[in-house]
Amino acid sequence: MPKSLLVLASYFKGERFMRQAHARGARVYLLTWEKLLKEAWPREALTEVFAQQDKPKLDETIRTVSYLSRATKFDAIVALDDFDVEIGGALREHFRHPGMGDSGARYFRDKLAMRQRAKERGVPVPDFTGVFNHDEVRAFTKRTPAPWMNKPRSQASAAGITKVKSEEQLWQLIEEQGDAQSFHLLEQYLPGDVFHVDSLVVKGKIVFSLAHRCGAPPFDVAHGGGIFSTVTLDRNSDQAVRLREMNEQVIAALGLEYGAAHTEFILGRDDNRFYFLESGARVGGAHIAECIEAASGINLWAEWANIELDRDEYVLPPVRNDYAGLLMTLSKDERPDWSGYTDPEIVYRAPEPNHAGLVVQSSDRQRVEHLLEDYKARFARDFTAVLPAAKEPTN
């Protein structure tokens, strides 16, 4: 019998997942929010589309799925975004579905929980503390010099993060957070380059992974504006090998059994050591999936759908060993003028309004690096608009 998948989406994403699952014979049911109903969902691949009021409470979502389950038996629940991971875990627990439950989801949603778990399993992490006991916070500030990062424990991306430069600023911030302060963590600020490893996981084992280095740190882009970029690492380089090994440690520590993961690391500028930052049980945003597909031929969304359907019988398609780079920026024009960007290495252009983004691909990594550097300067001149940092992630 064809499988019935209930797909949770609080952002417009995952179209390739839905199309691939449909092409494989699955019945795909989408549960999203009312404000997203007008998005270009692949309706031809969806059996039905359901919508809740925007930002529903967990109890409301459980009641909604309970009502839908009267007529439809869902074989699996798939959470496409960071914010859906927690809901998906709660729904699986409630309806006794297989897969990641409440506790497992917490390791991929709660920045404090994932750091504690990683540290317990021997993965290097920046020094941190929960914002619970003020004596412990003071002890942290004594052993770890400013600046520090004050991070919401369950936000996504760089949203809501504050760089704190002094104890006076810290205690003012904690006072302003009031009873919500325990929903934050305090972390050592490490200057350095940010990297990400994107993976596919089957039966707790990584079957595919690819490492990339970001240009400006995502926090700097989110809070200061500018251009987000990332480029495929030389697969045989020392950095790529070290990152793959650490990524295996992280995935094992956090307990992902099946699906996709996006994990971020920072290379400390002072000691040349990699430290784990955070991991999400989902495909990376900002068109990272298109960048990975250009470099490897592997579409993470489509393969995630195959993993959901095949489980232990999943077989990874052949992997191509090219290189790719991605540039993304807010655009001052609703529809950027791409007439001056005609290099044959351009294989993808981001479709969102008021954004300029592209992916370049080549078998020559130096060519990719050269194009990214050239385009960064041109993007800054032709496209980039700077807006205040978002309080919530936009993708």
Side-chain angles (χ1 to χ4, degrees):
M1 292 291 292
K3 285 190 176 181
S4 296
L5 305 181
L6 179 63
V7 175
L8 312 178
S10 55
Y11 286 85
F12 176 57
K13 57 172 53 179
E15 306 96 293
R16 278 293 294 270
F17 179 102
M18 300 172 203
R19 289 193 174 99
Q20 180 66 14
H22 172 73
R24 292 286 312 279
R27 293 189 292 264
V28 184
Y29 298 83
L30 173 64
L31 178 59
T32 186
W33 295 358
E34 288 179 350
K35 69 176 183 179
L36 299 176
L37 279 176
K38 294 182 180 179
E39 298 288 355
W41 300 107
R43 301 275 178 162
E44 74 284 356
L46 299 174
T47 302
E48 285 191 76
V49 177
F50 308 109
Q52 300 182 92
Q53 64 180 0
D54 298 343
K55 297 184 178 180
K57 296 179 180 178
L58 174 58
D59 181 66
E60 294 170 341
T61 300
I62 291 176
R63 292 175 186 274
T64 297
V65 177
S66 295
Y67 179 79
L68 299 177
S69 297
R70 298 177 188 179
T72 303
K73 177 175 172 53
F74 300 113
D75 298 304
I77 296 170
V78 183
L80 297 187
D81 186 73
D82 267 330
F83 292 101
D84 305 313
V85 167
E86 208 164 353
I87 304 299
L91 289 173
R92 293 186 198 101
E93 293 275 12
H94 187 80
F95 293 99
R96 311 314 304 158
H97 274 283
M100 185 187 295
D102 283 333
S103 297
R106 178 142 241 177
Y107 288 130
F108 287 94
R109 284 290 295 129
D110 184 336
K111 290 181 171 66
L112 179 59
M114 69 176 71
R115 278 159 181 71
Q116 286 182 330
R117 183 73 162 190
K119 184 179 179 180
E120 290 166 0
R121 299 299 178 89
V123 179
V125 296
D127 195 9
F128 66 92
T129 184
V131 187
F132 308 133
N133 181 274
H134 286 188
D135 287 338
E136 290 185 352
V137 173
R138 292 186 186 96
F140 169 83
T141 62
K142 293 295 184 290
R143 71 174 182 262
T144 306
W148 309 290
M149 307 296 278
N150 184 274
K151 298 183 174 183
R153 290 170 57 177
S154 295
Q155 269 287 14
S157 186
I161 298 176
T162 302
K163 186 176 181 180
V164 183
K165 299 179 181 179
S166 68
E167 284 199 54
E168 181 181 1
Q169 181 189 359
L170 172 63
W171 289 109
Q172 181 180 347
L173 177 62
I174 289 175
E175 181 67 24
E176 291 171 355
Q177 289 170 344
D179 292 340
Q181 61 190 249
S182 69
F183 293 91
H184 296 74
L185 68 91
L186 197 61
E187 182 177 85
Q188 174 187 12
Y189 172 75
L190 284 179
D193 292 330
V194 175
F195 296 73
H196 58 93
V197 182
D198 296 85
S199 314
L200 295 171
V201 182
V202 175
K203 210 173 181 179
K205 303 295 183 183
I206 294 173
V207 297
F208 169 83
S209 66
L210 196 59
H212 285 72
R213 186 193 76 245
C214 298
F219 172 83
D220 293 350
V221 176
H223 289 256
I227 301 165
F228 171 75
S229 67
T230 190
V231 63
T232 315
L233 291 181
D234 180 341
R235 292 164 175 80
N236 298 316
S237 67
D238 174 68
Q239 288 184 343
V241 172
R242 289 160 62 192
L243 282 167
R244 287 197 297 269
E245 290 173 351
M246 277 192 70
N247 186 56
E248 289 181 357
Q249 283 185 280
V250 169
I251 296 302
L254 302 187
L256 183 64
E257 288 293 315
Y258 297 90
H262 173 79
T263 306
E264 296 180 359
F265 302 88
I266 190 165
L267 181 64
R269 194 169 295 156
D270 297 331
D271 59 8
N272 198 38
R273 293 183 66 200
F274 279 113
Y275 296 84
F276 167 61
L277 289 180
E278 60 186 71
S279 186
R282 43 86 177 177
V283 173
H287 298 291
I288 286 173
E290 285 78 11
C291 184
I292 290 169
E293 184 174 15
S296 66
I298 300 298
N299 183 279
L300 296 178
W301 288 112
E303 295 312 310
W304 184 6
N306 289 332
I307 289 171
E308 287 292 337
L309 298 175
D310 295 337
R311 306 301 276 181
D312 294 354
E313 305 302 317
Y314 173 80
V315 177
L316 181 74
V319 178
R320 193 176 64 245
N321 291 323
D322 287 337
Y323 296 91
L326 164 69
L327 293 173
M328 281 292 297
T329 187
L330 287 171
S331 173
K332 57 192 176 186
D333 299 314
E334 182 178 2
R335 297 296 174 188
D337 179 6
W338 292 110
S339 59
Y341 296 78
T342 58
D343 291 294
E345 290 87 355
I346 298 173
V347 295
Y348 179 82
R349 302 176 198 269
E352 298 93 339
N354 294 113
H355 286 76
L358 55 76
V359 172
V360 296
Q361 171 202 42
S362 175
S363 59
D364 181 353
R365 188 174 182 277
Q366 290 186 338
R367 175 60 177 165
V368 173
E369 290 269 21
H370 171 76
L371 286 170
L372 287 188
E373 289 305 310
D374 178 42
Y375 287 167
K376 282 179 188 176
R378 293 170 61 186
F379 266 41
R381 180 193 67 217
D382 297 341
F383 304 131
T384 300
V386 178
L387 296 176
K391 293 182 180 180
E392 296 184 2
T394 57
N395 191 345

